[in-house]
Amino acid sequence: LLQKKGQVKISKKDEDSTIACDCKSSNRNWTFTSGISSNFTKEHKKKNVPCAIAIPSGGAALEQRPTVASVWGVAGVVAMLMNAVKRVLPVALEPFRTGSPLGAKMWCTYAAFAAVMGYVEGYKSFHKKFSPLVAARSMTLQKPHPFTYTLFAPFYAMGLFHATPKRRATSWGFLIGVFALVKIVKQFSYPWRSIVDGGVVVGLTIGSASIIWHYAREINGIPAPADPSLPAVSSSSL
């Protein structure tokens, strides 16, 4: 079941042909192969219907080809995350190669914090929220768009511009919060900084893999569970 909120405009070419719709809420094109149920085909007679589209067992979502802009958007975000991992990894590995290894309690703390960050940052923050957003917004770079969208595709994918006011505020707040946290952690002494950085490495690594996973699914016609949060468009542009 593929479902998106908002209103759509549906056009039907013939009884067994492709049905396409444009979601006003997300400005993404969804094209579905034949096999749509008869109940659904009746809905195309209405000019505007709720954007809730079901694909029965006979139908499937059409694969989308990745564009240079969408690939650059995803690759750029992943590159930034992995660069952060590269920076903190040496500090995170210090307990494994230092002359004064951690005691049993500190090793437990290290492992526990890494597990917590893997779940809270890697799964809850990235896999369930940020990663689908990056994949979804990257795939909106399909139609002709300003060159700056391609040039700054990673920032576009993160929702730092050409997004709803709420999305921009959330994305910028998240980015500023990360930089502030990095500055604070740098003030920590050993072994606490190593423990925190170890958790960061786990979280960011899971996050990077999650972005690639969601993007791969998008390419194969499985939309990421996230609203791209694009600015509202007028009905005349659909």
Side-chain angles (χ1 to χ4, degrees), residues 23-195:
C23 271
K24 292 182 183 179
S25 61
S26 61
N27 200 27
R28 302 172 79 187
N29 291 333
W30 300 107
T31 303
F32 305 96
T33 59
S34 59
I36 306 300
S37 65
S38 58
N39 289 334
F40 178 78
T41 58
K42 294 177 182 178
E43 295 295 331
H44 81 276
K45 297 178 181 179
K46 301 178 182 180
K47 293 184 177 179
N48 288 286
V49 296
C51 187
I53 302 164
I55 302 177
S57 58
L62 190 67
E63 295 181 3
Q64 298 190 66
R65 293 182 179 179
T67 62
V68 172
S70 70
V71 172
W72 164 228
V74 169
V77 175
V78 172
M80 285 187 281
L81 294 177
M82 294 313 296
N83 181 60
V85 170
K86 180 181 177 182
R87 285 174 165 280
V88 302
L89 186 59
V91 179
L93 294 178
E94 279 186 10
F96 296 90
R97 58 193 180 196
T98 185
S100 54
L102 303 179
K105 290 184 178 180
M106 296 306 292
W107 276 120
C108 288
T109 302
Y110 190 108
F113 189 74
V116 169
M117 289 295 285
Y119 177 75
V120 175
E121 182 183 27
Y123 179 72
K124 295 289 287 184
S125 296
F126 274 96
H127 187 67
K128 301 295 288 185
K129 297 179 181 179
F130 186 74
S131 298
L133 173 73
V134 170
R137 285 183 60 85
S138 293
M139 291 305 290
T140 63
L141 294 171
Q142 298 284 333
K143 297 180 178 180
H145 50 267
F147 176 71
T148 52
Y149 289 15
T150 298
L151 183 62
F152 300 108
F155 304 105
Y156 173 96
M158 289 190 289
L160 297 178
F161 70 95
H162 192 63
T164 61
K166 181 179 179 180
R167 179 70 262 167
R168 291 199 306 271
T170 301
S171 295
W172 279 105
F174 176 78
L175 191 64
I176 293 173
V178 169
F179 279 112
L181 181 62
V182 169
K183 291 292 184 180
I184 294 173
V185 172
K186 283 185 177 181
Q187 307 303 317
F188 290 3
S189 59
Y190 181 85
W192 294 108
R193 183 179 175 185
S194 295
I195 291 173

